Amino acid sequence: MIKQIATVAVYVEDQEKSLQFWTEKVGFEVVANHPMGPQARWMEVAPPGAQSRLVLYPKKLMPNSEELKASIVFECEDIQGTYDRLAGNGVEFMEPPNQMAWGTYARFKDIDGNEFLLKG
């Protein structure tokens, strides 16, 4: 029986810059950072204490990387506080939090243009 999502790949141009974005601006922790051949590393980041992780996978290893897009929603208890903290850290949001019938959300981009959603 499947019990959780282990990892989701996010395709990035520069693994080190992406690692810096996710750890310094978003506040994730490094879960794994291992050599993966001569020009890449296996990098996993996650919110503190989380079981599901993002893999910061180099685009150069994926011939069709431009066609591959992450579709990830991060759930948070205090969406306005999370939005304020991330925006203050320099995270680019496409819009402020929007309240809908199903909850509140805000979209943001990483340094590679991948879009993510905060849901409260």
Side-chain angles (χ1 to χ4, degrees), residues 6-114:
T7 62
V8 175
V10 177
Y11 302 99
V12 303
E13 292 290 341
D14 184 314
Q15 285 185 295
E16 291 301 324
K17 286 182 180 177
S18 187
L19 183 66
Q20 183 179 11
F21 171 84
W22 286 104
T23 57
E24 294 178 14
K25 292 188 177 185
V26 181
F28 282 15
E29 297 177 334
V30 177
V31 178
N33 189 351
H34 310 287
M36 190 178 78
Q39 297 179 350
R41 301 188 62 77
W42 183 263
M43 294 181 166
E44 295 180 13
V45 295
Q51 293 181 4
S52 298
R53 301 162 313 276
L54 297 182
V55 174
L56 306 178
Y57 201 84
K59 285 183 178 182
K60 64 185 172 191
L61 299 182
M62 299 294 294
N64 64 334
S65 67
E66 294 307 314
E67 301 166 22
L68 304 172
K69 297 294 179 192
S71 178
I72 302 168
V73 177
F74 298 105
E75 190 167 15
C76 52
E77 292 179 15
D78 176 12
I79 189 166
Q80 187 64 51
T82 302
Y83 169 84
D84 292 340
R85 182 176 59 79
L86 296 182
N89 287 344
V91 173
E92 178 187 350
F93 280 84
M94 277 83 82
E95 59 201 355
N98 289 300
Q99 182 137 12
M100 305 296 281
W102 49 267
T104 303
Y105 75 94
R107 291 183 306 140
F108 70 96
K109 290 183 182 182
D110 70 4
I111 59 172
D112 289 288
N114 296 305

